[in-house]
Amino acid sequence: MSNRVVCREASHAGSWYTASGPQLNAQLEGWLSQVQSTKRPARAIIAPHAGYTYCGSCAAHAYKQVDPSITRRIFILGPSHHVPLSRCALSSVDIYRTPLYDLRIDQKIYGELWKTGMFERMSLQTDEDEHSIEMHLPYTAKAMERCRFCPRSPCIAEGLEICMICLFRNSQGHKDEFTIIPVLVGALSESKEQEFGKLFSKYLADPSNLFVVSSDFCHWGQRFRYSYYDESQGEIYRSIEHLDKMGMSIIEQLDPVSFSNYLKKYHNTICGRHPIGVLLNAITELQKNGMNMSFSFLNYAQSSQCRNWQDSSVSYAAGALTVH
């Protein structure tokens, strides 16, 4: 057997975000530095996957809640935009490249998932065409090399054994101490969302694991074939915000059935609805065992403000799940 390491290139670098490592690092650092950390670290986050020009500042609100000192495995659940999938798919590579540094796939966890018989393999072409996972890789890389509490990143202790401000050892953070588990999520039925939620619940229960759920919110306009408008809310963009925040409120209730009913009623074009459904079902499974969790959205944004039928926009939301 060949021991050749197979890499997925950062195929959207240079278009959806800069391919320059130093420039990308500065951008991410700038967005993260403007956001506050919550008291408890995130066990899971929901964050957008559009071009960083549109959603980079929004995503920072979620990634600022990641604690690299306890995180060792990062599950990234992204929706499939280009290939039809009725299940979930695993990557066929070993390394995901980013302009910052390479991220290693956890082959041990992949092996466990593969043995369930619930997954298929995505080709390298499918992997590199898809953006829903890739757009989280630079932020993941950045979040894991910074200190959650130190005012500078890398840690202010440049060249010192320990930082006296945050007591955080190693100015390079934890970038060599974690692996990723990318999962491409198909158009799952409600029963499949329950099955995958149950499967992932044991991993979500582990405090050394972080789940990143990749989703944009409402895609509104003729180009998206979606133009729901509640005139009682005022301008179109206000109606979109009201619709999104209705869904966000239901997600905060951690109720997968109510979220499914909301989608059936309004057909909101939340592209990561299936990854969100998997997360909500995993949470439900853990709640049965007495685990106490809460989810809060921390930021909401729109790519533009729609005021007439010719306009279009995509909405973004960032939030974090914490365990009490």
Side-chain angles (χ1 to χ4, degrees):
M1 282 184 63
S2 169
N3 291 322
R4 186 171 67 91
V5 174
V6 182
C7 298
R8 179 200 184 279
E9 297 300 324
S11 52
H12 293 75
S15 52
W16 291 55
Y17 59 97
T18 178
S20 163
Q23 189 177 344
L24 179 60
N25 185 67
Q27 280 182 341
L28 297 175
E29 182 59 41
W31 287 320
L32 287 164
S33 67
Q34 295 171 21
V35 180
Q36 296 296 313
S37 298
T38 54
K39 290 181 180 178
R40 295 178 186 272
R43 183 71 57 88
I45 61 173
I46 294 175
H49 53 234
Y52 284 174
T53 305
Y54 298 103
C55 75
S57 61
C58 177
H61 290 262
Y63 277 96
K64 190 62 177 276
Q65 314 316 321
V66 175
D67 187 347
S69 69
I70 61 173
T71 304
R72 292 297 170 266
R73 287 166 299 276
I74 301 176
F75 291 73
I76 307 173
L77 276 56
S80 176
H81 287 89
H82 302 290
V83 295
L85 272 181
S86 60
R87 300 191 292 169
C88 293
L90 305 177
S91 177
S92 55
V93 307
D94 305 288
I95 298 288
Y96 271 21
R97 292 221 155 110
T98 84
L100 301 180
Y101 58 90
D102 293 346
L103 306 182
R104 290 178 296 116
I105 290 181
D106 194 312
Q107 296 300 337
K108 177 177 177 293
I109 302 294
Y110 253 26
E112 293 175 7
L113 297 177
W114 187 250
K115 282 179 185 174
T116 65
M118 295 168 65
F119 294 83
E120 43 195 283
R121 291 277 183 195
M122 53 176 144
S123 67
L124 179 60
Q125 184 70 54
T126 296
D127 208 344
E128 292 189 342
D129 284 349
E130 184 55 64
H131 64 275
S132 71
I133 294 173
E134 179 179 342
M135 297 308 295
H136 290 279
L137 303 178
Y139 250 123
T140 294
K142 183 62 188 170
M144 290 303 292
E145 74 167 16
R146 81 194 314 275
C147 171
R148 187 162 170 259
F149 298 106
C150 190
R152 280 177 50 187
S153 173
C155 178
I156 204 170
E158 294 289 351
L160 302 177
E161 183 185 353
I162 189 166
C163 172
M164 291 290 96
I165 293 178
C166 66
L167 304 181
F168 180 68
R169 293 182 185 274
N170 180 4
S171 63
Q172 289 304 303
H174 298 272
K175 70 179 189 179
D176 297 320
E177 301 173 6
F178 76 99
T179 52
I180 62 169
I181 300 93
V183 178
L184 191 62
V185 179
L188 306 180
S189 64
E190 286 181 55
S191 61
K192 282 266 176 62
E193 287 181 2
Q194 289 177 358
E195 287 176 33
F196 280 104
K198 191 169 185 177
L199 172 66
F200 284 120
S201 65
K202 71 171 186 177
Y203 298 104
L204 184 63
D206 185 340
S208 64
N209 292 336
L210 170 74
F211 275 72
V212 173
V213 173
S214 175
S215 184
D216 295 337
F217 274 69
C218 185
H219 299 59
W220 194 93
Q222 294 175 16
R223 58 189 283 239
F224 301 117
R225 295 193 288 264
Y226 185 75
S227 54
Y228 172 85
Y229 178 32
D230 178 357
E231 293 184 12
S232 71
Q233 297 302 318
E235 299 247 37
I236 293 173
Y237 72 91
R238 294 285 189 196
S239 168
I240 295 169
E241 180 174 354
H242 182 261
L243 176 69
D244 279 331
K245 291 194 171 176
M246 204 189 311
M248 291 158 65
S249 175
I250 291 169
I251 292 168
E252 289 180 332
Q253 294 167 24
L254 304 179
D255 182 354
V257 175
S258 293
F259 185 58
S260 291
N261 290 339
Y262 160 82
L263 292 170
K264 288 172 188 171
K265 182 175 181 178
Y266 295 101
H267 304 285
N268 192 359
T269 45
I270 301 172
C271 57
R273 57 194 174 276
H274 297 299
I276 292 171
V278 170
L279 175 66
L280 292 177
N281 277 284
I283 292 166
T284 298
E285 194 66 27
L286 294 180
Q287 287 176 325
K288 291 177 189 173
N289 299 322
M291 190 175 283
N292 184 20
M293 290 168 284
S294 63
F295 190 95
S296 296
F297 277 101
L298 305 165
N299 189 253
Y300 174 79
Q302 295 177 351
S303 61
S304 61
Q305 292 187 340
C306 293
R307 298 174 187 275
N308 61 62
W309 296 105
Q310 284 69 49
D311 291 342
S312 64
S313 72
V314 180
S315 308
Y316 314 113
L321 176 79
T322 55
V323 177
H324 302 283

